[in-house]
Amino acid sequence: MTLRALRPSSLVEQATERLREHLADGTWTVGSKLPGESALAEALGVGRSTVREALRALACAGLVRARQGSGVFVLATTSPEQWSTRLRRAAVTDVYEVRMIVEVEAARIAARRRTDDDVAALHAALTARRACAPDDHAAFVTADIALHGAVVAAAHNPVLSDLFAEFVPVLRQGLLDLVDVLDLRADDPDHGDAAHARLVTAVERGDEAAAGRVLRKELTDTLALLRSL
């Protein structure tokens, strides 16, 4: 094994990068076992603790995995693309389909778990959506997403909330394009108000079926409009 010795500064970062380079160039292939800590430390000219930290960093990046009593094995030779980056590159219609799967179930859970504070937040969000000026499309889209976010928050599941938050940048741009290109608010400044009011009412009443049904219809209609662009 011919790994170049490292400079004395930022040893963990350098060790991590050097090991990453050798994964990428095929020195170690997927499924293979890495040399032991002592061998790596000697080749890199660092201590075993530095190697251990570097391997931990590679594990966090999804490149390697330690198996108790067996060693460290290669899972991938390049880091998987970050989820947020993947979403930014995805078509808004693809993101919307996933959003429907996530958010419709979130609405059903919200109807079951909502608290008085959640209901107040939903009504406040609906009021804010209605208060947007007819020519302020950006504020309207932001308020619309905030209302949907309030529904997800009422489900009291932090994973759902985090997942919805990841969707927001792509959704916001797609909805802005939709409102601008189709001029949806020209004759109806509160476009979709009735559906959103029904959604808030369903969650408030604890009607899971209605909450899911209303939201699925609203999102399906919006998806059809997005596909028409």
Side-chain angles (χ1 to χ4, degrees):
M1 183 169 49
T2 56
L3 299 178
R4 290 171 293 157
L6 301 176
R7 301 187 305 275
S9 61
S10 305
L11 291 180
V12 172
E13 290 82 357
Q14 291 183 64
T16 302
E17 184 58 31
R18 190 66 50 76
L19 294 175
R20 191 187 295 269
E21 290 172 0
H22 283 278
L23 287 171
D25 69 15
T27 299
W28 301 302
T29 58
V30 173
S32 65
K33 179 180 176 180
L34 295 185
E37 287 183 4
S38 297
L40 290 173
E42 181 178 357
L44 294 170
V46 297
R48 290 181 59 182
S49 61
T50 298
V51 170
R52 195 172 300 121
E53 289 300 318
L55 292 174
R56 185 174 292 116
L58 293 178
C60 290
L63 295 174
V64 302
R65 175 180 295 170
R67 297 178 187 170
Q68 187 67 34
S70 298
V72 178
F73 293 81
V74 179
L75 295 180
T77 54
T78 57
S79 296
E81 185 175 45
Q82 292 294 319
W83 171 241
S84 57
T85 301
R86 179 71 183 88
L87 282 177
R88 284 195 298 271
R89 292 198 304 104
V92 67
T93 50
D94 291 339
V95 175
Y96 226 85
E97 287 181 348
V98 178
R99 177 195 182 185
M100 288 176 59
I101 295 170
V102 171
E103 202 174 333
V104 169
E105 186 59 29
R108 292 174 57 86
I109 297 173
R112 185 164 69 247
R113 296 179 180 172
R114 82 280 182 267
T115 64
D116 290 343
D117 287 343
D118 293 326
V119 171
L122 287 169
H123 281 287
L126 183 60
T127 298
R129 189 180 187 276
R130 290 169 171 169
C132 292
D135 59 346
D136 194 346
H137 298 334
F140 178 75
V141 168
T142 298
D144 180 85
I145 292 174
L147 173 54
H148 285 268
V151 172
V152 174
H156 295 279
N157 183 317
V159 177
L160 281 175
S161 295
D162 290 346
L163 187 56
F164 180 79
E166 291 281 358
F167 292 152
V168 166
V170 178
L171 295 176
R172 187 175 191 279
Q173 188 56 55
L175 293 175
L176 275 173
D177 292 342
L178 180 65
V179 172
D180 288 339
V181 173
L182 298 182
D183 202 14
L184 295 179
R185 303 182 69 211
D187 299 319
D188 182 14
D190 292 333
H191 177 78
D193 180 71
H196 286 80
R198 288 195 296 272
L199 173 60
V200 170
T201 298
V203 173
E204 181 177 13
R205 290 178 176 174
D207 190 336
E208 296 181 40
R213 183 173 61 252
V214 169
L215 187 53
R216 181 178 296 280
K217 176 65 164 58
E218 191 253 318
L219 294 179
T220 298
D221 290 347
T222 303
L223 180 58
L225 290 173
L226 286 169
R227 284 176 170 153
S228 72
L229 293 180

